[in-house]
C-alpha cells in the first residue's frame, strides 16, 4: 500500500468531518492527538480552524484543555504552524499554568487583548510557595496594557507579597473591560484603598471588589453596567446612592456588608414617604446582604428602580424586629409588582431547611419579577411575622408553597398555625448533613394530629393545605392512609363532635404525591387512598437525587 494510502487510513476522511461529525469536536481532536505525527497535513487550513474553534471556544480554558492544545501541535507541521499563528488560542492566561506556558501565551497571543485569571482555593497557591506566584505576577505586569479582563480573587488566601499584589493591581491597564479584585479575608482592617488599573480605563463595564476599596472619586466608578462590593466596617451609604447617579446604565448592583453601619438616617415608617434622590432606569437586579437594615432601607428608599425585576436580600439583623417596619417603606416602590406576582398565581415559596437561612421568595409565572429574602439568626416566629407584614403591605393574599426539611416540634407547630400554606413538600432527612434531632416531627403522621384551641374546637395543622408532596420520603402507603383517617373524620365521628358542641374545622382535600417505587409494595392500600374522603388526587413521582 502506498504511503499516501496509509495516511488516508490513519486520517479521518473529509466526509467524516462534516457538520454532523463536528458536533463532537472533542472526539475529533482526541482522535487526531493519538495519531503518529505525519510530515504534512492533508486537511484544509479552513477545516482545521473550524475544529479548533469548536473545540476551544474563546472563553476561560482549563489546564487540561491547554495541555490538549500543546498536544495538537504535535499532529503535524501544518497543525503546529496554524496553532502558533492563531493568537486567540493563547489570549486566556491562568496562574494555574506553569511559568513556561504563561510565557508562551504572552508571546503567541501577539498584540491581542488578554484575559488574566488568578484564583485561590487550589493547592498551587501553597505548594508553589510565594516565589512562584510572585514570579508570575511580575511576568504578567508588563503586559497590563493588553489586559481586557482581570480576575484576581485570592479571598481564600494568597502566598504573594502584599506590595507586589498592590503594584500588580494598580498597573495602568486602559483596555480593561472587567475587573474582579478580591483580596484575602486575612488582610488587616481597614482594607487597602488601591488605584486599580492606574485609575483610568477606556471602557470598563464590570467591576467587583472584595476586601479592597477604591477612592470614591475614581473614574472607574462611572459608566458601569455591573457593580459588586463586599465591604466591612462603616458603610458609606450616601456614596452607594451616588453609584446609581454616576452610572445611569447600571444593570446589576450587588452589595455585601456585614458590620453595623454608622451615620444612617432614620427612615419614616409611613407609606408613600419615599424621597428618591436618584433614578436607575437601567437597573434590572439588586442584591444586598446586610446585618443593619438601615443600609438596605436607605438605598431602596432613595433610589427609584422602575425596571428592576430581581430583588435579593440576605438579612442577618443585629437590631430590633421593629426595624423591619422600615423595610416595608423601602420596598413600597415594588409593592405593585409584588402584589401582581402573588395575585396572578405566581410562585410564593418558603424554605425551611437545616443549617440554611430561612428563605421566602415571590416570582411571577414568566419570571418577569422576583423577590427573594433570606433570614439568618431570626426565629421562625419573627420571620413569619415579617413575611405577613410585607404581604399585607402589597395588599395580597398570602398563598405559600413550603419546602420543609427535618424540623422540630416547635417549628412544625409554628408553621402549622400559619394560614395560607397551600402546598407542602417534605424533603428526605438524608438530603441534609445535619445532626440527629430526636425532637423532629414525623411526616405525614404529624398532619393527622389534632389541635385543640382555647374554645371548644377541633382543628389540624396546616388548615389551608391543598397539595402534599412526600415523594422523597420512604413512607409506607399505610401511614398515609392512617394520617388521612385522623385528619378527615368519618360522618359518624363528625356527628358525635357536633352532639358534644365541638366545632370541627375540616381541612381542604389533599392532592398527594407519593413515591412511585413503593406503589407495588402497598398495592392493596392504593385503592383505599384514592377513594378516601380527604383525597382530591393521588400521583406518583420518583425522588430527586
Amino acid at each position: 500500500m502506498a504511503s499516501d494510502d496509509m495516511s488516508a487510513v490513519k486520517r479521518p476522511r473529509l466526509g467524516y468531518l462534516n457538520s454532523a461529525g463536528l458536533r463532537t469536536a472533542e472526539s475529533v481532536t482526541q482522535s487526531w492527538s493519538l495519531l503518529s505525527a505525519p510530515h504534512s497535513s492533508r486537511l484544509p487550513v479552513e477545516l482545521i480552524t473550524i475544529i479548533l474553534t469548536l473545540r476551544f471556544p474563546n472563553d476561560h480554558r482549563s489546564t487540561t484543555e491547554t495541555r490538549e492544545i500543546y498536544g495538537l501541535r504535535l499532529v503535524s507541521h501544518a497543525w503546529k504552524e496554524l496553532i502558533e499563528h492563531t493568537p486567540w488560542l493563547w489570549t486566556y492566561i491562568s496562574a494555574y499554568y506553569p511559568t513556561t506556558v504563561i510565557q508562551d501565551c504572552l508571546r503567541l497571543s501577539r498584540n491581542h487583548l488578554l484575559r488574566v485569571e488568578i484564583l485561590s482555593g487550589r493547592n498551587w497557591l501553597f505548594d508553589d510557595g510565594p516565589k512562584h506566584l510572585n514570579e508570575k505576577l511580575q511576568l504578567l505586569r508588563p503586559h497590563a496594557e493588553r489586559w481586557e479582563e482581570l480576575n484576581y480573587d485570592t479571598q481564600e488566601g494568597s502566598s504573594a507579597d502584599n506590595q507586589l499584589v498592590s503594584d500588580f493591581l494598580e498597573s495602568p491597564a486602559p483596555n480593561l473591560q472587567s475587573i474582579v479584585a478580591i483580596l484575602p479575608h486575612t488582610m488587616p482592617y481597614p482594607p487597602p484603598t488601591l488605584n486599580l488599573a492606574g485609575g483610568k480605563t477606556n471602557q470598563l463595564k464590570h467591576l467587583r471588589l472584595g476586601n479592597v476599596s477604591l477612592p470614591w472619586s475614581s473614574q472607574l466608578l462611572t459608566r458601569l453596567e455591573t457593580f459588586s462590593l463586599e465591604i466591612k466596617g462603616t458603610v458609606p451609604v450616601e456614596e452607594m446612592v451616588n453609584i446609581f447617579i454616576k452610572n445611569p446604565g447600571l444593570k446589576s448592583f450587588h452589595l455585601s456588608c456585614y458590620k453595623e453601619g454608622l451615620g444612617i438616617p432614620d427612615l419614616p415608617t409611613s407609606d408613600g414617604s419615599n424621597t428618591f434622590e436618584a433614578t436607575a432606569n437601567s437597573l434590572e437586579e439588586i442584591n444586598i446582604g446586610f446585618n443593619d437594615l438601615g443600609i438596605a432601607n436607605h438605598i431602596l428608599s432613595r433610589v427609584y428602580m422602575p425596571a428592576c425585576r430581581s430583588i435579593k436580600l440576605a438579612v442577618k439583623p443585629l437590631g430590633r424586629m421593629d426595624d423591619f417596619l422600615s423595610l416595608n417603606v423601602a420596598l413600597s416602590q415594588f409593592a405593585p409588582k409584588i402584589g401582581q406576582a402573588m395575585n396572578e398565581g405566581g410562585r410564593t415559596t418558603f424554605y425551611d431547611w437545616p443549617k440554611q437561612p430561612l428563605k421566602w421568595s415571590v416570582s411571577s409565572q414568566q419570571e418577569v419579577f422576583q423577590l427573594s429574602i433570606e433570614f439568618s439568626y431570626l426565629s421562625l416566629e419573627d420571620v413569619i411575622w415579617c413575611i405577613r407584614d410585607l404581604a399585607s403591605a402589597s395588599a395580597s393574599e398570602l398563598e405559600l408553597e413550603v419546602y420543609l426539611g427535618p424540623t422540630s416540634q416547635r417549628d412544625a407547630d409554628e408553621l402549622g398555625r400559619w394560614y395560607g400554606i397551600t402546598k407542602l413538600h417534605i424533603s428526605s432527612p438524608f438530603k441534609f448533613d445535619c445532626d440527629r434531632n430526636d425532637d423532629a416531627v414525623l411526616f405525614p403522621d404529624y398532619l393527622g394530629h389534632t389541635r385543640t384551641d382555647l374554645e371548644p374546637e377541633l382543628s389540624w395543622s396546616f388548615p389551608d393545605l391543598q397539595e402534599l408532596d412526600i415523594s422523597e420520603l420512604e413512607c409506607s402507603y399505610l401511614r398515609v392512609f392512617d394520617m388521612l383517617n385522623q385528619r378527615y373524620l368519618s360522618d359518624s365521628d363528625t356527628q358525635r363532635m357536633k352532639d358534644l358542641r365541638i366545632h370541627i374545622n375540616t381541612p381542604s382535600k389533599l392532592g398527594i404525591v407519593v413515591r412511585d417505587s413503593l406503589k407495588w409494595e402497598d398495592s392493596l392500600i392504593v385503592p383505599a387512598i384514592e377513594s378516601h374522603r380527604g383525597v382530591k388526587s393521588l400521583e406518583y413521582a420518583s425522588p430527586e437525587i
Side-chain angles (χ1 to χ4, degrees), residues 94-96 117-128 133 151-160 182-186:
S94 169
Y96 295 148
E117 188 169 73
I118 299 170
L119 306 178
S120 64
R122 301 286 184 90
N123 290 335
W124 71 270
L125 275 176
F126 307 99
D127 293 344
D128 283 352
L133 181 54
N151 185 356
Y152 190 98
D153 183 354
T154 59
Q155 62 178 326
E156 301 301 327
S158 170
S159 55
I182 303 177
L183 299 184
H185 293 295
T186 55

Side-chain angles (χ1 to χ4, degrees), residues 57-58 65 96 120 122 156 196 209 216 223 229 234 245 252 288 307 333 344 355 388 391-392 422 428 452 455 465 469:
N58 194 23
E65 291 171 328
Y96 295 148
S120 64
R122 301 286 184 90
E156 301 301 327
L196 295 177
L209 306 176
W216 291 109
R223 302 191 303 275
L229 174 64
T234 302
I245 297 175
S252 174
I288 307 179
Q333 65 169 302
E344 290 183 353
K355 297 186 177 180
R388 282 174 172 167
S392 63
T422 59
S428 169
T452 54
E455 298 180 2
L465 190 63
D469 184 352

Side-chain angles (χ1 to χ4, degrees), residues 15-290:
Y16 171 72
L17 293 172
N18 57 17
S19 59
L22 288 175
R23 284 199 301 264
T24 56
E26 181 177 4
S27 64
V28 175
T29 54
Q30 286 177 346
S31 65
W32 273 91
S33 65
L34 296 175
L35 300 178
S36 56
H39 295 292
S40 62
S41 173
R42 300 296 179 89
L43 286 178
V45 170
E46 293 81 5
L47 189 54
I48 299 177
T49 302
I50 291 174
I51 294 174
L52 293 174
T53 302
L54 292 174
R55 179 65 189 97
F56 307 105
N58 194 23
D59 55 11
H60 294 185
R61 194 162 295 130
S62 68
T63 52
T64 301
E65 291 171 328
T66 302
R67 191 180 297 113
E68 188 177 338
I69 292 176
Y70 274 80
L72 288 173
R73 296 163 76 204
L74 304 177
V75 170
S76 71
H77 178 74
W79 280 71
K80 182 176 185 296
E81 285 292 309
L82 179 61
I83 289 173
E84 292 188 354
H85 287 83
T86 305
W88 61 262
L89 281 173
W90 306 93
T91 55
Y92 172 73
I93 301 177
S94 169
Y96 295 148
Y97 294 171
T99 301
T100 54
V101 175
I102 294 178
Q103 290 172 332
D104 283 345
C105 289
L106 293 172
R107 176 174 57 88
L108 296 174
S109 60
R110 305 295 191 272
N111 293 322
H112 284 236
L113 297 179
L114 302 173
R115 290 160 293 124
V116 178
E117 188 169 73
I118 299 170
L119 306 178
S120 64
R122 301 286 184 90
N123 290 335
W124 71 270
L125 275 176
F126 307 99
D127 293 344
D128 283 352
K131 178 181 177 181
H132 291 271
L133 181 54
N134 291 342
E135 179 182 337
K136 293 174 181 179
L137 296 182
Q138 290 173 330
L139 193 62
L140 291 166
R141 188 183 173 197
H143 299 268
E145 288 192 357
R146 287 206 287 144
W147 295 350
E148 180 182 32
E149 297 178 16
L150 176 61
N151 185 356
Y152 190 98
D153 183 354
T154 59
Q155 62 178 326
E156 301 301 327
S158 170
S159 55
D161 176 77
N162 288 342
Q163 185 58 51
L164 181 58
V165 170
S166 297
D167 293 341
F168 177 81
L169 293 175
E170 291 185 323
S171 301
N175 291 305
L176 274 173
Q177 297 183 27
S178 174
I179 299 176
V180 176
I182 303 177
L183 299 184
H185 293 295
T186 55
M187 292 287 288
Y189 179 81
T193 299
L194 299 180
N195 193 30
L196 295 177
K200 184 177 181 181
T201 63
N202 297 326
Q203 46 187 347
L204 185 67
K205 299 297 182 185
H206 311 284
L207 179 60
R208 181 183 176 193
L209 306 176
N211 302 315
V212 60
S213 298
L214 269 178
W216 291 109
S217 59
S218 173
Q219 180 260 349
L220 300 186
L221 294 173
T222 60
R223 302 191 303 275
L224 293 172
E225 292 183 2
T226 67
F227 178 66
S228 177
L229 174 64
E230 179 182 333
I231 191 170
K232 295 181 180 179
T234 302
V235 179
V237 289
E238 294 300 336
E239 294 295 348
M240 294 295 101
V241 174
N242 288 336
I243 289 291
F244 297 94
I245 297 175
K246 294 189 293 185
N247 297 273
L250 193 68
K251 296 179 180 179
S252 174
F253 176 85
H254 289 217
L255 174 64
S256 176
C257 43
Y258 286 113
K259 279 200 173 182
E260 187 173 358
L262 302 176
I264 300 173
D266 293 331
L267 297 178
T269 57
S270 59
D271 294 337
S273 56
N274 300 67
T275 305
F276 295 117
E277 300 171 6
T279 299
N281 286 316
S282 301
L283 192 73
E284 297 177 357
E285 67 161 340
I286 183 168
N287 188 332
I288 307 179
F290 54 91

Side-chain angles (χ1 to χ4, degrees), residues 411-542:
D411 282 357
D413 290 344
E414 193 66 48
L415 280 172
R417 289 192 291 268
W418 195 357
Y419 286 90
I421 296 179
T422 59
K423 300 179 182 180
L424 184 60
H425 301 259
I426 307 299
S427 299
S428 169
F430 303 106
K431 191 174 182 178
F432 305 94
D433 180 20
C434 57
D435 301 329
R436 175 183 172 86
N437 186 358
D438 294 328
D439 186 39
V441 299
L442 292 177
F443 282 92
D445 313 54
Y446 178 78
L447 297 176
H449 298 170
T450 55
R451 212 179 67 212
T452 54
D453 299 319
L454 296 178
E455 298 180 2
E457 183 176 274
L458 197 61
S459 60
W460 289 260
S461 296
F462 301 95
D464 293 336
L465 190 63
Q466 299 176 21
E467 297 181 26
L468 173 65
D469 184 352
I470 52 174
S471 60
E472 287 194 12
L473 300 182
E474 288 196 24
C475 168
S476 70
Y477 289 6
L478 185 59
R479 282 176 56 192
V480 177
F481 187 67
D482 288 342
M483 177 273 292
L484 291 169
N485 286 335
Q486 296 179 56
R487 188 174 178 88
Y488 301 95
L489 300 182
S490 65
D491 292 341
S492 58
D493 288 337
T494 300
Q495 187 58 50
R496 291 192 188 98
M497 294 298 113
K498 289 182 178 179
D499 294 341
L500 295 172
R501 296 184 179 180
I502 297 177
H503 179 69
I504 301 175
N505 283 327
T506 303
S508 303
K509 288 186 176 183
L510 289 177
I512 305 177
V513 182
V514 292
R515 180 177 289 201
D516 59 357
S517 60
L518 302 175
K519 182 177 181 180
W520 306 113
E521 298 178 17
D522 296 333
S523 57
L524 294 177
I525 201 69
V526 170
I529 295 178
E530 290 178 331
S531 60
H532 197 279
R533 57 186 172 274
V535 174
K536 179 173 56 178
S537 63
L538 183 64
E539 298 179 12
Y540 308 92
S542 299

